[in-house]
């Protein structure tokens, strides 16, 4: 997989991709993430990428021309499955969407900024608009990092234990159950006896029951329509 991220603030994305699982994915040759400074595609002397909105109002708008040049340059080098725009009014990102996108080959992510992009960018170039929640960030860079992390960790071979991602919260529509490790007793608090029994079928049943209980308590909305 290759993910190309278009941004006006590339420095915000230097850290997330240089460490941990994302770096491991690149070192293994399983994924590439490339960050593109949109200002490099501006022809103006000041490298301008935004301008005042027609009709007035507060805030600046990202111009179509630099974005078009960048996307067209990338598309001239390879085919892309999706061109994603990170925006508060996009469809809400969730685990099923991460699963779907992890099966793609190449993605472009455009980070919004200011008051957003010229609407013609969305009409001509964008194939999918995604939000990571009902709130507003200063730009789409952090959202792009969230999507990238959630997607790449699902690629086979990225995690040391490939079954780990399959037991994450939301994979089966439920929250993950409680987990424990050594020591078995700490300050009077003991690990549930069932987890020390070695009886895998009973352990699996316990974990499922705990997942259902935790989901009912913390995210009852996830239980709607579920036949358990």
């Amino acid at each position: 997989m290759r993910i190309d991220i278009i941004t006006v603030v590339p420095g915000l994305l230097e850290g997330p991709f240089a460490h941990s699982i994302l770096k491991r994915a690149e070192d293994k040759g399983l994924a590439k993430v490339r960050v593109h400074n949109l200002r490099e595609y501006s022809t103006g002397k000041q490298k301008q990428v935004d301008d005042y909105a027609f009709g007035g109002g507060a805030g600046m708008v990202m111009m179509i021309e630099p974005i078009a040049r960048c996307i067209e340059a990338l598309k001239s080098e390879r085919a892309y499955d999706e061109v994603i725009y990170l925006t508060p009014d996009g469809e809400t990102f969730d685990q099923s969407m991460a699963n779907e996108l992890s099966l793609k080959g190449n993605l472009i992510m455009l980070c919004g900024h200011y008051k957003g992009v010229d609407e013609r960018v969305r009409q001509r170039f964008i194939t999918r608009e995604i939000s990571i929640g009902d709130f507003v960030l200063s730009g789409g860079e952090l959202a792009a990092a969230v999507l990238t992390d959630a997607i790449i960790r699902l690629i086979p071979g990225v995690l040391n234990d490939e079954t780990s991602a399959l037991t994450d919260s939301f994979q089966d529509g439920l929250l993950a159950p409680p987990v424990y490790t050594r020591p078995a007793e700490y300050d009077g608090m003991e690990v549930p006896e069932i987890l020390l029994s070695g009886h895998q079928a009973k352990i699996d049943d316990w974990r499922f029951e705990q997942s259902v209980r935790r989901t009912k308590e913390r995210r009852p909305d996830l239980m709607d329509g579920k036949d358990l």
Side-chain angles (χ1 to χ4, degrees):
M1 170 176 281
R2 178 181 169 114
I3 298 178
D4 289 276
I5 302 176
I6 303 171
T7 170
V8 296
V9 194
L12 284 176
L13 293 168
E14 290 176 359
F17 308 127
H19 305 279
S20 191
I21 289 172
L22 297 181
K23 185 176 188 303
R24 188 187 312 155
E26 176 128 11
D27 290 344
K28 289 182 176 180
L30 298 173
K32 280 186 179 180
V33 180
R34 295 293 178 265
V35 178
H36 304 272
N37 187 345
L38 186 61
R39 296 189 187 281
E40 294 179 1
Y41 294 86
S42 173
T43 57
K45 187 176 181 180
Q46 303 298 323
K47 298 297 182 182
Q48 183 178 357
V49 295
D50 62 298
D51 209 334
Y52 294 103
F54 283 125
M60 306 291 277
V61 178
M62 294 175 69
M63 302 161 66
I64 186 171
E65 293 164 314
I67 296 172
R69 291 189 195 99
C70 185
I71 292 176
E72 287 168 353
L74 290 171
K75 284 186 169 183
S76 70
E77 297 174 358
R78 66 191 61 82
Y80 286 90
D81 298 290
E82 299 277 10
V83 180
I84 298 168
Y85 175 46
L86 286 312
T87 173
D89 59 358
E91 57 182 322
T92 303
F93 187 64
D94 59 16
Q95 190 62 45
S96 64
M97 198 185 302
N99 293 342
E100 176 194 348
L101 291 173
S102 73
L103 301 176
K104 305 292 186 181
N106 301 314
L107 305 172
I108 292 175
M109 295 186 189
L110 172 62
C111 301
H113 242 276
Y114 314 116
K115 277 296 184 180
V117 300
D118 188 304
E119 186 66 19
R120 292 167 292 185
V121 171
R122 302 170 81 159
Q123 293 170 347
R124 172 163 294 190
F125 298 106
I126 304 303
T127 63
R128 194 157 194 174
E129 300 181 345
I130 296 177
S131 166
I132 62 168
D134 295 340
F135 49 87
V136 177
L137 299 171
S138 298
E141 288 76 17
L142 298 181
V146 167
L147 259 70
T148 300
D149 186 287
I151 292 167
I152 288 180
R153 68 188 304 277
L154 296 171
I155 298 173
V158 171
L159 298 181
N160 289 332
D161 180 357
E162 291 185 20
T163 63
S164 177
L166 301 178
T167 57
D168 288 338
S169 289
F170 306 112
Q171 280 291 10
D172 56 2
L174 299 172
L175 300 182
V179 293
Y180 300 85
T181 188
R182 293 177 178 83
E185 186 275 334
Y186 173 76
D187 197 22
M189 298 184 293
E190 297 183 352
V191 172
E193 187 175 343
I194 184 65
L195 297 178
L196 307 175
S197 69
H199 196 302
Q200 195 58 50
K202 290 183 178 180
I203 291 173
D204 290 343
D205 287 343
W206 180 88
R207 284 175 170 160
F208 177 72
E209 291 168 2
Q210 293 296 314
S211 284
V212 172
R213 177 180 298 177
R214 179 163 284 189
T215 305
K216 283 181 177 179
E217 292 173 351
R218 303 185 181 194
R219 289 293 304 276
D221 56 298
L222 295 175
M223 301 296 295
D224 292 346
K226 276 192 171 56
D227 180 8
L228 299 175

